[in-house]
Amino acid sequence: MEQVSGEVGAFKATIRKKARYVNQDLCTGCGSCAEKCPTMVVDAYNAGMGKRKAIYKYFPQGIPSVFTIDAPECRQLGQGKKCGVCAKVCQAKAIDFDQKDAIIEIEAGAIILATGYDVFDPSVIPEYGYTTINNVVTALEFERLLSASGPTAGHLDRPSDLLMEKDLEEGEKEVKKLARQVKSLEDKHGKTSADVVAAVKSGSAAVDDELIQWAQAAEKLAALEERVATLQKKTAAVQTAKKLAFIQCVGSRDFRFNRFCSSYCCMHSVKEAMIANEHDNAVNSSIFCMDLRAVGRGFEEYKLRGGKQANIKYVRGRVAEITEDEANNPIVWYESTTTQKVEHETFDMVVLATACVPTEGTAKVAELFGVELESNGFFKTHPLAPLNTTRPGIFTCGCAQGPMDIPESVAQASSAAARAAEVVAPLATVEKQKAVG
Amino acid sequence: MADKIRIGVFVCDCGSNIAGYLDVKELAEYAKTLPNVVYVKENLYTCSESGINEIKDAIGKENLNRVVVASCTPRTHEPLFRGTCGEGGLNPYLFEMVNIRDQCSWVHMQERERGTDKAKDLIRMGVAKAALLEPQEPIQSQMNPNALVIGGGISGMTAALALANRGYETTLVEKSPQLGGLLLRLDKLAPSDMDAATFANQQAELVKKHPKIHLLTSAEVDAVAGYIGHFNVFARTADGEENFDVGVIVVATGAQVLQPTGMYGYDGKTVINQLELEERFKAGTFSAQNVVMIQCVGARNEERKYCSRICCMVAIKNAIAIKELSPSTGVRILYRDIQAYGMENEALFQKAKELGVLFIKYDPNHPPRVESDKVMVQHHLLGRELALPQDLVVLSTPLIAGEDNETISKLLRVTLDENKFFLEGHVKLKPLDFATDGIYLCGNAHYPATAREAISQALGAASRASIPLSKGVMTAEPIVSTLVDEDACRGCGLCVALCPYGALEIQHTEKGRKVKVIPVACKGCGVCAATCYQHALSINSYTDQQVTEQIKAFLRG
Amino acid sequence: MQYSTDIRIIRLMCTGRVDPTMLADAFLEGADGVVVVGCHFGDCHYISGNYQAKVKVGLATRALDYAGLNPERISFSQCSSAEGDRFVSIITGFDQKIKEMGPLGSADRLPLPKLTEKIAIAKTALGKEKLRWVVGKFTEFTTTGNKYGEKFTDHEMWRTLDTIVMDELATFEILSEMQKAPAAVKDLAARLELPPPHVLKYVLALQRRGIVSLAGIEGNSPLYQVAEKSAQQTAHAA
């Protein structure tokens, strides 16, 4: 949105449609461009845990099914290199490197702000170790790990183990390369590397630069081989995560960050723990919470079922700190309300139920549309007119006005539509249509 | 002479949802060997735009006259693929869906080979049925443009006003003589601090004055016949019976507060419930030095498992009111979990704490005991029993389903949940619709809700209801009963008596008494076809022959 | 949520669509078990389809039981679309029961292929007027009563249906035997494993309706055949 003018019943909006460098009408979504694109980019949809190409669709079922070039990452657009592979392989001739942003003007009687929310960034709570401990993830990241279409095809592979596997892969590649190098030297000189290493070490005669390099390479190879062997042993022993901890109210109900309750996270954690257990019956979970807020139809029952059937333990108390042991297992330190002592427990993975916060651009949107924000930074509404913003004709629904779960958001979307309809198709208009019809 | 059957089969990977657990390549190869199949395509996502385009293209290029998609559930995707066939130039009902995700990959995750074999069988069955499918045309019928709202509380009034403001004639039926419902008995609303009855009365005035609202108080709905677009309603009023037609119905019948008779020494005097406390506020008769509130009284137990969502907030609101009225009065709230979800509620919770309200968690296995001047409670932090002084105990009881819910659910043929609240069509996707077309729900009738939530839901329900109303003409699925063998029909009327929708009638024709189907009223349940001893009736797309061929395709394959 | 790979689902809009002949069809084709899963009573998406399904599945079970099938091979269960776990337990329980019974013919009163022949006859009977009429009137007779105002209990209705099932299956088996060749009552009785006077009663009833006629006398026994005129009508009558 660039600009909004006018008033209820007659708004005028200026919209900038960003260039996607792909002609939307021609693209068939076949994906051969992404298959051939040489640039790998971290995949935001999979919470940074996977890779995608520089020409991409945000997620496979996305609508419209059209590809987009991530301009800053693209060799040709962003880095000024010669590439154009996508344009070559596109049979629909849909790639358009010269595409420009388009300015669209529309007229509207009412406006609905449904800009959603952002997930709280837990790295500002250093004691939870989100940035330092690999096996501490956010609930949304965990959701991707659980998803059959996620980076691990739904297996609960721990991030530290995934990194180790990657490390091993690279190590093996390096070993192969070095081994080839050393082997060619051995073949050329008809000597074994061990002899050369010994010779160099003993400082015996006829040690030239080539021999020194050879010896260095051979020693490096030996060290690397040992490391790879250790990694191989370790990765062979890797198991998927079996013991999970969910930490509630990360960034919510916390005076340092957000005082409010994010509403949906308790049930979200119970659901994730249930699904993890469905995938693998050996999984058990502890949910660390202050109150377990299960307030919708069937929620309390679902929570109890999780306890009985899905190995979920509800632990009351606020987690003080998360540390890590040598095997990359996070250790949760908390004050037990039953023993009133600080206790700790080791888990395979920790999931942070992060707060629902206003989107980064909310304040800008509020300014653009001339609506007020409430103290937490969401669009301000009145309890008895829950869809109305502070400006007539502009309505808001869903998490843009505060945290809520999916059914409530869906219901509110209909409600906002009702309010907007009262503006754009009020009584008189309907009557007129009837008369005409 | 019918054209030669040419079936196209599309096998969906669903990313890895299917391809991760079944051998999709093998399925596609297998489909090629099936009778009448002339084209097979595997898609990464058949439902994506590219998958859809592949179906459309294949219909044209391969001259397909039947399409089978082996993917997920018809509950979510059948309409999409039917539409695709239509856009591709094929009658949408020459389409058959095979569910190899919910029925194979998701439920046989560890059995790739056997799951794949099962998927082959399902595809073979789908192909066998597809060969026998016949084209159908959607059924159209005019919509009555009026609405009925049952219940005159805040939800019902809000819904009626929203519908009437859109120009739809709306009848509002309220059982009691007065509009306002539960709000009339409350003191203030939180967090707006608005007087509840004043707010209710303001809305009631708007309802009464609205030229498009026909208000029936002291009235009850007696009988409802018909279906979306054509409901015929009988409402009993003090003056007699009213009979009118509407196109849609909104259920906003509210709920009732559980009376805690027999619990914690409830006597309505020194042990009261939250509603009675608010009545004391209103009457100005509140006085107490030490108040103890007990949460989850009659809720979250064996008898009533559910959490009633709003009682924690009611207690907090009233605790704040006490503190504002009489700062020296001690208020202690004994709770299990404080359900102060969201922004406003959590803020009120904090405010109560700041005002000195004490919150003490109790264990349901060791519930508090009310004694003459104190309440004994096992403190979970201190690990010992505390004696809390009291001269007033307030019990927070849940909202329970309205007493008429069962009657109304039978009248409207809509569903109740295990606690007798009305059950929506889909918990996430259709929170305000019933499974039955043309009937919607909101407010406490659905589940305990705050005033903010009830208003929001009522507007939403009105919005949902206005969708069919605004269309004027309703289009229905043609998967309905059809008289396929008129000569065989003896006009016996056995089917007419069993039809749950009144969609069959006997008429006199030149050939004598014959049954007639009213397609727009028919939902396609198939009772008539399963009953007719002359096999004269059949259900489109579910004929005897089609089902039998599926059975044969499975067991002979 | 995982369950046995041995089931195949046939989708119907409502269990009310379940025709008793469909169950016979499944066993004719060699199914080892059939489970009909519909909505909970009082909670039917199609209002009352599940009640109709219950009586129709009940009828099919009785007829197939009489034909020699182990009635445990048929199950009628309720499960809402929100009860995935319940569905799994229904399927798992039924699958286990069927696996204990073994394939069709192994835990039944009759072995294959005799069982299949009898099931075919049951299917014919289930498609015909008499049984379908009574089962179609089941709800009316047990709730509002017949046209004389007589109300029947479920138990009484099922007893009546049991008798009709027996008569109908015997009648259609006799016709089926006669279609192969004219037959004497005592031969028919031996083949049907019924007392000869019962068979005579059925044959005479058929003769009165013109469906069966005298073909000749063999020794002292009259031979009966399907009446030429009615041979075609047989498909519809009875």
Side-chain angles (χ1 to χ4, degrees), chain A residues 24 27-30 57 60-66 147-150 153-155 253 255 259-264 271 278-279 289-301 303-304 308 316 335-338 340 374 376-379 381-388 401-408 410-419 421-423 425-428 430-431 434, chain B residues 14-17 21 44-45 47-50 53 106 109-110 145 158 161-169 189-192 194 199 210-212 300 302 305-309 335-344 346-347 349-350 353-354 361 380-383 417-419 421-424 427-432 441 445-448 451-453 455-464:
Chain A
Q24 199 171 329
C27 177
T28 63
C30 72
K57 267 198 289 192
Q61 291 110 316
I63 293 173
S65 177
V66 174
S147 166
S149 63
H155 299 291
R253 299 182 72 190
F255 284 16
R259 284 177 167 239
F260 58 81
C261 158
S262 292
S263 208
Y264 57 69
K271 180 202 81 171
E278 256 172 48
H279 282 208
C289 56
M290 292 194 274
D291 302 281
L292 203 292
R293 293 183 168 165
V295 292
R297 189 204 307 277
F299 288 9
E300 175 77 10
E301 294 89 327
K303 177 191 105 184
L304 294 176
K308 279 192 199 130
R316 195 164 183 274
E335 191 195 332
S336 161
T337 53
T338 36
Q340 281 134 67
E374 52 77 61
N376 298 300
F378 293 100
F379 295 123
T381 56
H382 188 275
L384 299 178
L387 289 311
N388 297 16
Q401 60 157 269
M404 62 183 70
D405 63 6
I406 295 174
E408 239 188 302
V410 173
Q412 276 215 339
S414 292
S415 324
R419 276 280 140 102
E422 282 179 20
V423 175
L427 204 147
V430 175
E431 292 292 284
K434 265 195 216 155
Chain B
C14 197
S16 62
N17 270 313
Y21 304 96
L44 181 61
Y45 290 99
C47 64
S48 67
E49 210 168 306
S50 56
N53 284 332
W106 275 359
M109 281 180 172
Q110 269 91 40
T158 306
L161 283 168
L163 284 162
N165 284 343
R166 291 289 309 281
Y168 304 115
E169 297 281 351
L189 292 172
S192 60
M194 176 89 177
F199 178 61
H210 205 293
K212 293 276 176 190
R300 298 175 71 192
E302 266 312 302
K305 287 206 177 68
Y306 66 97
C307 161
S308 164
R309 188 175 176 101
Y335 71 99
R336 288 172 56 187
D337 290 275
I338 285 292
Q339 310 289 35
Y341 60 93
M343 284 192 308
E344 292 166 343
E346 182 71 20
F349 179 31
Q350 298 305 335
K353 284 202 262 188
E354 281 158 23
K361 190 177 166 85
H380 81 119
L381 281 176
L382 303 176
D417 71 9
E418 64 271 29
N419 298 307
F421 286 103
F422 287 100
L423 185 63
E424 68 274 18
V427 60
K428 288 197 164 56
L429 304 174
K430 280 175 137 194
L432 305 171
L441 75 168
H446 163 260
Y447 199 72
R452 175 191 260 274
E453 289 162 354
I455 292 168
S456 190
Q457 288 175 17
L459 288 169
S463 178
R464 298 290 301 162

Side-chain angles (χ1 to χ4, degrees), chain C residues 40-60:
Chain C
H40 290 285
F41 288 127
D43 220 7
C44 177
H45 184 68
Y46 291 91
I47 302 173
S48 55
N50 54 357
Y51 288 102
Q52 296 310 317
K54 189 188 169 200
V55 286
K56 280 172 184 133
V57 173
L59 172 69

